[in-house]
Amino acid sequence: DSGVTQTPKHLITATGQRVTLRCSPRSGDLSVYWYQQSLDQGLQFLIQYYNGEERAKGNILERFSAQQFPDLHSELNLSSLELGDSALYFCASSAGTEVPYEQYFGPGTRLTVT
Amino acid sequence: QQPVQSPQAVILREGEDAVINCSSSKALYSVHWYRQKHGEAPVFLMILLKGGEQKGHEKISASFNEKKQQSSLYLTASQLSYSGTYFCGTEVGDYKLSFGAGTTVTVRA
């Protein structure tokens, strides 16, 4: 158990819908990262937040957005869902960002868009 | 740009050694190694910063050749628990980790 929690574990929804994925980092960790893992694209970095502020952005679609709240939990919002958005979404946390820190991954949310 | 990992897959018997390579076309600041078992989340193994240091984790070690932008992960005297997919993640100082496609390691008794 990494100490990172993600909810829900599974999510099945229809095309065009909007969903919210939630992540709680390890106690004391200030950074949260979101990743998408699919069979054809592998593990892709989406976005990183540090202490409530966006720190780095990867290949995140405009239909996706995220935020980190004052209590450091984070949410990833996916809207206008398409079949290709079906994937495993991981949240990871680390202590900081000034020096590359190891990232601890949560169990993931499996999203299925039908 | 994703780093390139090789080989794509390797099958070992317990006690055998293996090397997984990771190369990038960019100047790297750090290289991260993770292992993911089927249906589970990636688990951190080690991180190497530029400087060519070598690190170890149990009987798994890694090196980072900063000049060649390459890193290698060494599995020594493999155990059944080493089975899984190994990913290297590379970072160029922009906080964005780019992962390779992974190397699937199967260790058989």
Side-chain angles (χ1 to χ4, degrees):
Chain A
D1 185 355
S2 67
V4 178
T5 60
Q6 288 188 248
T7 57
K9 194 169 183 179
H10 300 280
L11 200 49
I12 301 175
T13 189
T15 54
Q17 295 298 305
R18 173 189 167 95
V19 297
T20 297
L21 313 183
R22 184 189 168 101
C23 166
S24 291
R26 294 187 319 158
S27 177
D29 282 359
L30 299 178
S31 281
V32 168
Y33 310 77
W34 286 98
Y35 292 90
Q36 178 193 60
Q37 187 174 39
S38 60
L39 284 175
D40 56 342
Q41 294 290 324
L43 195 56
Q44 297 281 322
F45 167 73
L46 295 178
I47 197 163
Q48 180 207 354
Y49 279 84
Y50 173 73
N51 203 19
E53 300 289 326
E54 182 185 303
R55 201 59 188 250
K57 214 170 194 177
N59 300 321
I60 187 166
L61 299 171
E62 284 191 12
R63 300 183 285 108
F64 297 180
S65 64
Q67 57 183 123
Q68 187 180 27
F69 295 86
D71 67 352
L72 301 178
H73 91 271
S74 178
E75 292 180 356
L76 179 67
N77 300 296
L78 315 176
S79 61
S80 303
L81 285 167
E82 302 174 359
L83 295 177
D85 297 327
S86 294
L88 197 49
Y89 290 84
F90 286 109
C91 164
S93 74
S94 72
T97 60
E98 295 308 318
V99 173
Y101 281 97
E102 55 265 35
Q103 296 181 26
Y104 293 88
F105 282 73
T109 293
R110 182 168 295 281
L111 173 67
T112 303
V113 182
T114 61
Chain B
Q1 190 173 356
Q2 273 185 311
V4 177
Q5 279 186 243
S6 63
Q8 283 187 312
V10 59
I11 299 174
L12 302 166
R13 289 203 178 272
E14 270 187 300
E16 290 184 338
D17 302 340
V19 181
I20 300 170
N21 297 305
C22 174
S23 64
S24 173
S25 58
K26 296 184 175 183
L28 300 176
Y29 184 75
S30 63
V31 178
H32 305 225
W33 286 96
Y34 288 80
R35 178 173 63 207
Q36 185 177 27
K37 293 183 181 282
H38 184 69
E40 299 181 7
V43 173
F44 172 79
L45 292 176
M46 65 193 75
I47 180 172
L48 302 100
L49 302 180
K50 66 177 182 180
E53 63 177 294
Q54 188 152 347
K55 283 204 166 186
H57 172 81
E58 298 174 343
K59 288 184 180 176
I60 299 175
S61 62
S63 63
F64 176 24
N65 186 323
E66 179 183 349
K67 290 180 181 177
K68 292 185 178 181
Q69 309 309 326
Q70 291 176 350
S71 179
S72 294
L73 187 74
Y74 306 93
L75 307 182
T76 306
S78 58
Q79 306 167 13
L80 294 175
S81 62
Y82 286 3
S83 292
T85 300
Y86 289 77
F87 292 96
C88 72
T90 56
E91 191 256 334
V92 299
D94 58 357
Y95 308 121
K96 302 176 188 178
L97 211 53
S98 293
F99 283 97
T103 296
T104 301
V105 173
T106 304
V107 182
R108 293 181 176 164

